[in-house]
Amino acid sequence: MRELERNRDAPDTGASTGLRSLAVIGAGRTGGSVTPAARAAGLDVRVGTRGTAAVTAGGSDITLLCVPDESISAVCAEVATATDLPAYVGHVSGATGLDALEPAARRGAQIFRLHPLQTIPAPGTSLAGVPAAVTGSSPAAAEVARTLARRLGMVPFDLAEEHRAAYHAGAVLASNFVLTLAETAADLLTRAGVKDARAALTPLLLSTAANWAGAGPAALTGPIARGDEETVRAHQAALAGLAPELLPAYTALADRTRAVAAVAAYKNQGGTPVSTPKIVRTREELRAALAPARRAGTRIGLVPTMGFLHEGHASLLRAARERCDVVVMSLFVNPTQFGPNEDLAAYPRDEAADLAMAAAAGVDLVYAPAADHVYPPGFATTVEVGGELTNVLCGDPARRGAAHFRGVTTVVAKLLNAVGPDVAFFGQKDAQQAIVVRAMARDLELPVEIAVLPTVREPDGLAMSSRNVYLTAEERIRARALNQALTVAADTARTAGEGSAIRDALAAAGKVLADAGIEPEYLEARDAENLTVAERFGDRPVLIAVAARVGRARLIDNVVVQVVQVVQGA
Ligand SMILES: Nc1ncnc2c1ncn2[C@@H]1O[C@H](COP(=O)(O)OP(=O)(O)OP(=O)(O)O)[C@@H](O)[C@H]1O
Ligand SMILES: CC(C)(CO)[C@@H](O)C(=O)[O-]
Ligand code: BAL
């Protein structure tokens, strides 16, 4: 065996590896396939079973346990009693940990797992080209397992022990669940009157597998890939009548398929997705999906959005990805923050594109509930931040009113409760919203950090907003005046310096707006922390905020000006 260690880096052909003798314990499907492959590779193979394991294993270079999962531990205990203990003891189970080989490890053997990622229906199945997941208790044990795999004709890849269960779940999805899906599809076709459903479906199933093997998510075809949601709804209606028990599974798979379609579309544009986010629609699914992260005490980040994502949202998602272990994005056009004459019905929506952006930014979980799930019949509780913060600027009764912020704080409180994030991310573009949400979190002692990130702008300075889509080409050009006006106000203040009049800065900004034919709903300067009216520019940050209708779009923007920098600790 020492020879085997000496030759670790040698090519794995013939006797040069030093691997000569192999004890195979178990003569079932896997053992019965390993044995002929090992003999064909020129190994000296001894075969034993439970009861003869110690005698068979004694003196071998490697002993491989090919016994049922539940017997591995007991058979390993037998092997551990061998007088001439093999240096390496392994098993071939995907579901079982290395710890099942503890009895041999305790006596000084190095242990490994070598799991063929293939169904082995009978003894004598060829292992040629079969991928094999390899894990070792040491680098030497892993190398021995790789060498053995190659000698048996397999293609080894490394698998970390802590990811064994996830890996095995993947294997079950690809094999067992695909079979279950095929069987379910056949059942449905049979109920729909098709005679030999299995024969009818076989070409489709085989070509789907072959196409996926070649092209991955790009091989996806069908209604979801082409955004035909009407057909999806027709399927759901048909299932509700013919096979209602299949409806939850169909709906869950449709959501998963939307995420795959989004990833495919994003890749198609040349992007490299960081993840395929999971979509959940109910608070129960959300909690279940987050339970492992919560148990593990990992850092959860939440980015609340109303969808129709742009680079502003993406900057929040990327910040969450950098700062948190798990990134949750909510996607919900919240009806309670829209006034009766506002644009709730027209608000732009594109879930598939949103999922693609979420995938690009590395989002783990997208929470996209229906309105009646968030607000079921009987819903009667609201969260409201009182006082100045919600009565001024957008909260002025003549504008969106305090009811708008009541809608925002109510839904944000619900989202914070449902997700339980460590950090929630908001954009400075909605400056008043960020201040109001911070006040709510502080007043209600919510255990969450409210992070506020800078406004992301178009190259010409226009703040990115989902509502920019409402602008015609001519309005889009005029809309630049909002940021230009704020820039002029900030420059005026900075040039005039400490104590300069707010009035002058606002007048300069107002002129820029007027020149563009824009009459603002408001153009005001307020203390950037408590929103009280600001009198002069000085050492406190001043928020200059504007709201204006440009065509159909009501746009907002702001800048924070502090003409005297306060040196911390001075
Ligand atoms: N340009 C931007 N830069 C940074 N953050 C932004 C930007 N636009 C929106 N956000 C932030 O993204 C989050 C979700 O906002 P929302 O989905 O309402 O997008 P929006 O573009 O502001 O849409 P709307 O048209 O409703 O203003 C909020 O915290 C918001 O402040
Ligand atoms: C925070 C928010 C998602 C609540 O609906 C919304 O107001 C928004 O998108 O800014
Ligand atoms: N972007 C803030 C949410 C709203 O306009 O309703």
Side-chain angles (χ1 to χ4, degrees):
M1 197 64 246
R2 250 173 259 122
E3 199 183 335
L4 176 60
E5 283 174 10
R6 263 204 312 277
N7 287 312
R8 272 221 303 268
D9 296 321
D12 55 0
T13 50
S16 62
T17 55
L19 166 54
R20 298 218 170 87
S21 64
L22 175 71
V24 179
I25 312 297
R29 287 178 301 197
T30 306
S33 302
V34 165
T35 298
R39 288 203 170 116
L43 294 176
D44 169 15
V45 184
R46 272 176 284 157
V47 180
T49 54
R50 201 170 176 168
T52 64
V55 179
T56 313
S60 63
D61 288 337
I62 300 178
T63 292
L64 192 62
L65 308 187
C66 303
V67 296
D69 290 11
E70 62 280 9
S71 313
I72 293 174
S73 215
V75 175
C76 185
E78 270 185 49
V79 169
T81 65
T83 39
D84 188 4
L85 187 75
Y88 295 89
V89 177
H91 72 65
V92 294
S93 162
T96 310
L98 281 181
D99 52 357
L101 301 173
E102 240 345 274
R106 267 201 303 274
R107 280 207 51 212
Q110 300 208 41
I111 55 178
F112 68 87
R113 180 179 49 244
L114 194 176
H115 175 242
L117 186 52
Q118 177 58 295
T119 50
I120 302 180
T125 299
S126 166
L127 299 175
V130 170
V134 161
T135 310
S137 61
S138 66
E143 183 55 23
V144 162
R146 283 192 285 268
T147 303
L148 176 62
R150 289 191 197 104
R151 292 288 297 275
L152 296 173
M154 296 194 275
V155 183
F157 61 90
D158 292 343
L159 176 73
E161 178 67 356
E162 72 262 29
H163 295 315
R164 170 177 41 85
Y167 153 80
H168 193 240
V172 165
L173 275 165
S175 174
N176 311 152
F177 287 9
V178 167
L179 185 146
T180 301
L181 276 179
E183 191 56 24
T184 307
D187 179 39
L188 201 55
L189 260 66
T190 306
R191 287 197 229 183
V194 176
K195 285 273 178 307
D196 188 351
R198 179 150 33 117
L201 282 167
T202 294
L204 179 63
L205 190 66
L206 294 182
S207 63
T208 302
N211 292 346
W212 174 78
L220 186 71
T221 57
I224 290 173
R226 38 169 213 274
D228 178 3
E229 290 293 326
E230 206 174 308
T231 296
V232 175
R233 280 191 292 278
H235 292 173
Q236 286 170 319
L239 286 177
L242 202 58
E245 72 284 5
L246 297 181
L247 206 46
Y250 180 96
T251 302
L253 285 166
D255 266 344
R256 189 69 202 157
T257 306
R258 285 184 190 102
V260 171
V263 167
Y266 181 68
K267 274 189 171 167
N268 214 11
Q269 295 154 17
T272 311
V274 176
S275 64
T276 304
K278 179 178 165 63
I279 312 171
V280 289
R281 307 255 175 212
T282 66
R283 64 184 69 82
E284 292 77 18
E285 289 172 308
L286 175 70
R287 289 208 178 111
L290 284 172
R294 226 185 291 289
R295 269 198 301 276
T298 51
R299 204 170 167 74
I300 300 174
L302 169 67
V303 181
T305 81
M306 301 209 301
F308 212 71
L309 303 190
H310 48 65
E311 267 304 305
H313 299 108
S315 75
L316 305 186
L317 297 173
R318 284 194 292 266
R321 183 68 284 164
E322 263 172 37
R323 290 195 49 198
C324 302
D325 304 302
V326 176
V327 177
V328 183
M329 176 180 100
S330 63
L331 188 55
F332 181 59
V333 182
N334 174 36
T336 63
Q337 70 190 70
F338 287 79
N341 298 318
E342 291 183 4
D343 57 342
L344 173 60
Y347 197 83
R349 293 160 168 87
D350 188 345
E351 191 175 288
D354 290 345
L355 290 172
M357 278 196 84
V363 171
D364 298 297
L365 203 56
V366 174
Y367 178 43
D372 60 1
H373 186 72
V374 179
Y375 301 111
F379 182 89
T381 307
T382 55
V383 178
E384 179 162 9
V385 173
E388 276 281 277
L389 293 186
T390 53
N391 275 321
V392 299
L393 303 176
C394 286
D396 186 297
R399 299 169 193 150
R400 300 191 78 177
H404 163 65
F405 288 111
R406 187 163 64 234
V408 170
T409 40
T410 300
V411 83
V412 171
K414 282 172 70 78
L415 290 167
L416 292 174
N417 277 335
V419 174
D422 297 282
V423 195
F425 297 81
F426 294 84
Q428 173 65 18
K429 194 213 67 175
D430 298 86
Q432 187 177 13
Q433 169 171 281
I435 292 170
V436 169
V437 167
R438 268 210 175 120
M440 172 187 72
R442 180 201 61 209
D443 292 353
L444 297 182
E445 298 170 33
L446 301 180
V448 62
E449 178 197 341
I450 303 298
V452 181
L453 275 86
T455 303
V456 176
R457 301 180 177 282
E458 300 287 356
D460 65 1
L462 177 68
M464 292 202 178
S465 164
S466 308
R467 289 186 170 98
N468 290 348
V469 70
Y470 296 149
L471 299 167
T472 63
E474 178 269 331
E475 289 159 359
R476 171 65 188 76
I477 292 168
R478 279 200 299 127
R480 288 192 305 212
L482 266 72
N483 178 240
Q484 284 166 349
L486 295 171
T487 307
V488 166
D491 288 347
T492 307
R494 287 191 194 109
T495 312
E498 185 178 5
S500 65
I502 298 263
R503 196 188 48 239
D504 296 344
L506 293 184
K511 181 163 181 328
V512 176
L513 292 176
D515 288 349
I518 294 174
E519 192 183 333
E521 213 175 74
Y522 63 75
L523 172 63
E524 294 185 30
R526 292 185 170 265
D527 185 286
E529 277 157 26
N530 57 32
L531 296 188
T532 53
V533 175
E535 304 292 351
R536 301 217 158 276
F537 291 106
D539 58 1
R540 284 192 65 80
V542 171
L543 174 80
I544 306 178
V546 64
R549 201 164 277 283
V550 182
R552 273 175 63 213
R554 181 184 181 277
L555 304 178
I556 58 173
D557 199 355
N558 66 83
V559 66
V560 175
V561 184
Q562 185 171 352
V563 295
V564 179
Q565 295 307 318
V566 184
V567 181
Q568 288 296 322

